[in-house]
C-alpha cells in the first residue's frame, strides 16, 4: 500500500460518458482520525500491551481518537511505521471521483490503479493515479459506474507525497 502502484490503464475524457456523470466529492469527515493509539505486545507470553501514540493534523481537524491493536507486530519500529502510514491516510480528507465509463473497461475492478489524464482539472493539475473503490456494471446501458480514491487532499491540486510514502526517506 505504501508503494505507488503501476497503472492498469490511462483514461481520458473520451473514455468517460460526458453526460454529466463526472462528480468530485471527498472522503467522509466522520472517518477522520488524528490521534492513533497503536497497541502492541513485545512478547505473547504475557497480556501486557504497550501503547504507542501518534498524532497528525490535530490543528486542522481537532483531536479525533482511535485505538488499534497491531497484534501482528512485536517490534516497535514496525508498529510505528505501519501506524504512521495509516495515520497519514486517516488524518486527511481525500478527493474522490465518480464517473461512468464504457464497457471496454469492464476488466477494471476494485483496487486497480487507473491514471486519469483529463484536460479539465477535476482532481489535480496534471494526470493523477487513482484507486478504484467501486466498479458497478449496468447491463441496461452497458456502462460501468466507477468510484475512485485519489491521493490528492481536499482543497489541493497536487498529489500528497505521503499518500504513497514508500520512496520517501524516514527522516
Amino acid at each position: 500500500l505504501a508503494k505507488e502502484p503501476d497503472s492498469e490503464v490511462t483514461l481520458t475524457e473520451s473514455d468517460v460518458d460526458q453526460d454529466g456523470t463526472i462528480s468530485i466529492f471527498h472522503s467522509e469527515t466522520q472517518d477522520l482520525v488524528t490521534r492513533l493509539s497503536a497497541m502492541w505486545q513485545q512478547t505473547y507470553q504475557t497480556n501486557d500491551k504497550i501503547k504507542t501514540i501518534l498524532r497528525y493534523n490535530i490543528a486542522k481537524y481537532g483531536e479525533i481518537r482511535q485505538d488499534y491493536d497491531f497484534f501482528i507486530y512485536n517490534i516497535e519500529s514496525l508498529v510505528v511505521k505501519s501506524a504512521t502510514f495509516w495515520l497519514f491516510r486517516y488524518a486527511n480528507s481525500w478527493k474522490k471521483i465518480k464517473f461512468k465509463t464504457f464497457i471496454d473497461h469492464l476488466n477494471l475492478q476494485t483496487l486497480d490503479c487507473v491514471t486519469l489524464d483529463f484536460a479539465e482539472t477535476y482532481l489535480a493539475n496534471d494526470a493523477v493515479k487513482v484507486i478504484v473503490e467501486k466498479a458497478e456494471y449496468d447491463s441496461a446501458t452497458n456502462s460501468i459506474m466507477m468510484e475512485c480514491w485519489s491521493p490528492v487532499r481536499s482543497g489541493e491540486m497536487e498529489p500528497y507525497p505521503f499518500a504513497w510514502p514508500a520512496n520517501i526517506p524516514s527522516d
Side-chain angles (χ1 to χ4, degrees):
L1 287 173
K3 181 179 174 276
E4 186 171 347
D6 295 328
S7 183
E8 299 289 326
V9 67
T10 297
L11 300 179
T12 63
E13 277 98 348
S14 64
D15 297 303
V16 174
D17 183 357
Q18 294 293 318
D19 191 22
T21 64
I22 297 176
S23 63
I24 306 297
F25 60 106
H26 304 278
S27 56
E28 300 290 332
T29 54
Q30 65 259 26
D31 296 335
L32 288 172
V33 174
T34 58
R35 181 184 182 267
L36 183 62
S37 297
M39 310 296 288
W40 60 283
Q41 294 174 253
Q42 280 185 322
T43 177
Y44 295 105
Q45 294 174 338
T46 67
N47 288 331
D48 297 335
K49 298 258 186 192
I50 300 169
K51 183 187 282 191
T52 302
I53 299 173
L54 294 113
R55 295 175 182 88
Y56 181 66
N57 261 355
I58 289 178
K60 188 172 188 176
Y61 296 112
E63 186 175 81
I64 306 164
R65 297 176 178 216
Q66 181 177 343
D67 295 338
Y68 189 83
D69 188 357
F70 283 82
F71 60 89
I72 63 171
Y73 299 116
N74 64 350
I75 301 170
E76 184 177 21
S77 64
L78 297 178
V79 173
V80 170
K81 183 180 260 189
S82 184
T84 300
F85 169 81
W86 285 110
L87 190 58
F88 281 139
R89 290 280 177 103
Y90 291 154
N92 288 296
S93 178
W94 302 98
K95 285 185 181 179
K96 294 185 175 192
I97 187 167
K98 189 175 189 177
F99 57 90
K100 190 185 289 184
T101 188
F102 306 109
I103 196 166
D104 53 333
H105 298 294
L106 191 58
N107 62 324
L108 294 175
Q109 55 189 330
T110 303
L111 300 181
D112 278 351
C113 179
V114 175
T115 300
L116 298 181
D117 191 7
F118 295 154
E120 193 67 38
T121 56
Y122 297 110
L123 286 176
N125 292 329
D126 296 311
V128 64
K129 290 181 179 180
V130 298
I131 301 296
V132 176
E133 289 187 328
K134 211 185 272 187
E136 297 174 344
Y137 173 65
D138 182 358
S139 60
T141 61
N142 280 336
S143 63
I144 305 139
M145 184 57 78
M146 296 261 179
E147 192 173 301
C148 304
W149 172 87
S150 79
V152 181
R153 297 189 300 180
S154 300
E156 297 180 2
M157 293 300 286
E158 298 294 328
Y160 185 53
F162 292 103
W164 286 305
N167 295 327
I168 297 175
S170 60
D171 58 338

